[in-house]
């Protein structure tokens, strides 16, 4: 339902909007300065937001889960701070136990004016393996401590019992305590800034502005829905490789259509929940947010990203499916499904607006975890998120070795080598991993770790079997792979993309190769000079330049323009119109068709 508001001067509205945006980014800055773990401090795996009194996100990244928490409590006071991490107890507002979420009601002169909240990934929350994301879990009971929504501060006083329980169930209590206090500090920072806005412009003007910002986004989204979503359903299917316990691939099927001003996103046809931990218990509101942010970023990035459009979306999540699993299904590695969710969005929405579409990306959030005891007997646990190819898109080439979360950054090699018994021997893009296209897909990365102490390694990745597809004539990108090289040997032993407790000794090396991404547009239309530049930059081989792009380059890396023109003319005649999608070959799927 449309939010009712009073009039606010447009300049004042803009000032409040930008003050809230600044407060949201200040939350990030505070969190990364206080946190201790590399996952939050260096890689920024935390997601803040500021909400109105009804719990609707005004600024942020991940969408509001506040109403599902608040409905459990009739008594909320100034100074209260809530914490939780159980996906099932908060209706999927966070999606695995590693995410600890903090929420704080904001008051101005005793009047409730909103909420601030942040969740961040803790490096360990107990469970059967270090890192708390077992590749072979069959239930959430194996994935660590589960905390329902509780008050960690009540009227400003810390509940020491809750904190002790949480820290007593982790292998990394010092890091977790620092990271939790960082989240609290971020929420308090936002509360202070909202109070300052109310002081400056007046509380009623602030609250009215929140409603206006929501309404403005709603009206802009209504225009996008009517322009880019048809009444005739459009469907798309993609696959997750496997669930870590021997099953797969898993189908994800999305249909999108419009009913009046309402966009319907229907996941009927998606496979049943997995035995292993790739299930994604997604909150309906979060599902709406993912569709909304894609439509905003693809179709009109000037629109402010908030929850004003939620009533314009209808979501169908079949119960017992990969996206709506029944308790106690395992959830720890849900990112493989989570990111395929985005690929399905792109494939479905792009069919009616190919000029605004994008291809598929590297398709997960690859994890490398190395644990053990150093020479001084001190426990260590390195957890790093790796990145891959960001897909080709209308505006240009995809990004090489980039995160699919825009604000994430790579852990500096100097940080890793200074704090952990590891040497990073190489870190480079993978040649020919970016799908060919008018706009090339981004390349995956190859990172080689040499361990200096005995310990165990866990790895979580995907798109080893199912390639990232290309669109509008673009070709699919390269897949991922992992390799073990034992000390004193040069032989590579292939290892699974999802495994735990791989025992390693000093001098052993792990070669971690992430997937690339699909290309966008006809590769035979790409400027030959750009293809040559990719060859010179070691992103494309001369063989692939000729095979995929029809560009002839000599042994001395000189472009043969005449031969290129002839080859391209011949290729276009043989091929005809390029295909709208290129999925590559998917074992277990195409073989059966």
């Amino acid at each position: 339902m449309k939010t009712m508001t009073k009039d606010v001067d447009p300049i004042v509205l803009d000032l409040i909007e930008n003050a809230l945006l600044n407060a949201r980014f200040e939350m990030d800055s505070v969190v990364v300065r206080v946190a201790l773990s590399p996952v939050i401090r260096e890689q920024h795996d935390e997601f803040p937001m500021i909400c109105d009194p009804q719990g609707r996100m005004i600024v942020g990244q991940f969408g509001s889960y506040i109403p599902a928490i608040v409905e459990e409590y009739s008594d909320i006071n100034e100074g209260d701070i809530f914490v939780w991490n159980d996906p099932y107890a908060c209706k999927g507002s966070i999606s695995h136990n590693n995410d600890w979420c903090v929420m704080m009601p904001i008051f101005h002169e005793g009047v409730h004016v909103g909420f601030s909240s942040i969740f961040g990934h803790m490096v360990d929350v107990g469970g059967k393996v270090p890192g708390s994301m077992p590749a072979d879990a069959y239930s959430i009971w194996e994935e660590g401590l589960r905390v329902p929504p509780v008050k960690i501060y009540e009227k400003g006083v810390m509940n020491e019992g809750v904190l002790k329980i949480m820290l007593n169930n982790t292998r990394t209590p010092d890091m977790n305590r620092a990271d939790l206090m960082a989240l609290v500090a971020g929420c308090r920072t936002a509360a202070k800034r909202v109070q300052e806005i109310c002081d400056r412009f007046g509380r009623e003007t602030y609250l009215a502005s929140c409603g206006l910002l929501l309404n403005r986004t709603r009206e802009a989204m209504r225009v996008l829905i009517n322009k880019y979503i048809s009444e005739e359903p459009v469907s798309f299917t993609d696959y997750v490789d496997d669930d870590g316990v021997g099953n797969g691939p898993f189908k994800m099927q999305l249909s999108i259509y419009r009913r009046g001003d309402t966009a319907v996103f229907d996941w009927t046809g998606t496979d049943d929940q997995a035995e292993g931990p790739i299930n994604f218990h997604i909150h309906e509101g979060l599902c709406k947010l993912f569709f909304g942010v894609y439509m905003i970023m693809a179709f009109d990035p000037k629109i402010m990203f908030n929850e004003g459009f939620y009533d314009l979306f209808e979501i169908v999540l079949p119960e017992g499916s990969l996206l709506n699993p029944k308790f106690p299904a395992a959830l720890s590695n849900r990112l493989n499904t989570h990111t395929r969710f985005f690929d399905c969005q792109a494939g479905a929405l792009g069919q009616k607006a190919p000029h605004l579409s994008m291809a598929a990306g590297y398709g997960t959030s690859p994890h490398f975890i190395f644990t053990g005891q150093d020479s001084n007997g001190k426990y260590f646990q390195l957890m790093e998120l790796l990145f891959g190819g960001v897909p080709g898109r209308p505006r240009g080439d995809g990004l090489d070795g980039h995160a699919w979360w825009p604000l994430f950054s790579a852990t500096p090699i100097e940080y890793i080598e200074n704090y952990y018994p590891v040497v990073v021997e190489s870190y480079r893009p993978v040649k020919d991993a970016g799908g060919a296209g008018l706009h090339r897909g981004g390349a995956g990365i190859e990172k080689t770790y040499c361990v200096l102490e005995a310990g165990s390694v866990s790895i979580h990745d995907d798109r080893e079997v199912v390639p990232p597809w290309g669109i509008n004539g673009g070709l699919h990108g390269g897949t991922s792979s992992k390799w073990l090289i034992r000390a004193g040997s040069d032989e590579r032993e292939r290892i699974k993309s999802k495994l735990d407790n791989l025992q390693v000794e000093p001098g052993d090396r792990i070669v971690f190769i992430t997937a690339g991404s699909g290309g966008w547009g006809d590769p035979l239309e790409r400027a030959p000079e750009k293809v040559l530049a990719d060859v010179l930059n070691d992103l494309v081989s001369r063989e692939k330049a000729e095979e995929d792009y029809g560009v002839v380059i000599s042994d001395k890396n000189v472009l043969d323009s005449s031969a290129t023109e002839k080859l391209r003319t011949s290729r276009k005649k043989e091929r005809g119109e390029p295909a709208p999608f290129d999925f590559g070959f998917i074992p277990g799927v195409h073989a059966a068709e």
Side-chain angles (χ1 to χ4, degrees), residues 64-65 68 90-93 281-288 317:
S64 178
Y65 31 74
C90 62
K91 301 181 180 179
S93 59
H281 182 46
I282 186 171
H283 185 268
E284 183 178 311
L286 188 59
C287 193
K288 292 179 178 181
L317 294 167

Side-chain angles (χ1 to χ4, degrees), residues 5 13-14 16-18 20 58-59 206-219 304 306-308:
T5 61
L13 183 63
D14 284 346
I16 291 176
E17 174 187 352
N18 283 282
L20 285 170
I58 307 300
V59 293
Y206 170 74
L207 293 173
S209 296
C210 289
L212 285 169
L213 293 172
L214 290 165
N215 285 345
R216 191 170 66 183
T217 297
R218 183 186 188 278
E219 289 308 302
M304 184 179 182
N306 62 37
E307 293 187 12

Side-chain angles (χ1 to χ4, degrees), residues 44-84:
H44 304 171
D45 192 350
E46 46 83 25
F47 300 88
M49 69 174 176
I50 300 172
C51 299
D52 71 358
Q54 289 74 47
R56 296 172 297 185
M57 186 185 77
I58 307 300
V59 293
Q61 289 174 269
F62 232 88
S64 178
Y65 31 74
I66 302 300
I69 306 304
V70 172
E71 68 183 23
E72 299 183 27
Y73 287 86
S74 58
D75 183 29
I76 294 181
N77 305 289
E78 190 165 3
D80 289 351
I81 299 179
F82 295 77
V83 66
W84 67 91

Side-chain angles (χ1 to χ4, degrees), residues 428-505:
R428 58 192 176 204
V430 179
K431 185 186 293 186
D432 295 328
L438 172 65
H439 299 147
R440 176 180 55 78
I445 59 101
E446 177 184 308
K447 195 164 191 174
T448 302
Y449 302 88
C450 179
V451 302
L452 304 181
E453 298 281 1
S456 65
V457 165
S458 293
I459 287 174
H460 305 134
D461 202 3
D462 204 71
R463 284 218 182 275
E464 182 181 57
V465 174
V466 181
W469 41 266
I471 195 169
N472 299 337
L475 304 185
H476 67 274
T479 53
S480 65
S481 62
K482 314 293 172 288
W483 307 85
L484 170 65
I485 306 173
R486 292 293 185 184
S489 172
D490 291 326
E491 292 188 13
R492 286 188 172 196
E493 172 191 344
R494 185 141 188 181
I495 54 180
K496 294 179 179 179
S497 67
K498 301 174 182 67
L499 63 84
D500 290 312
N501 296 321
L502 174 67
Q503 298 303 305
V504 292
E505 299 295 331

Side-chain angles (χ1 to χ4, degrees), residues 522-573:
D522 188 351
L524 298 180
E525 295 295 332
R526 184 172 175 82
E529 293 76 15
K530 288 187 176 181
V531 179
L532 176 61
D534 285 341
V535 171
L536 294 175
N537 289 325
D538 211 30
L539 292 168
V540 175
S541 64
R542 287 193 301 111
E543 294 76 16
K544 280 292 184 180
E546 185 169 332
E547 179 182 341
D548 293 344
Y549 292 96
V551 174
V552 181
I553 299 172
S554 72
D555 294 344
K556 297 182 178 180
N557 288 330
V558 176
L559 176 65
D560 188 332
S561 298
S562 177
T564 294
E565 185 177 353
K566 291 180 181 177
L567 180 58
R568 285 186 158 186
T569 300
S570 173
R571 287 274 178 84
K572 289 179 181 179
K573 184 177 180 180

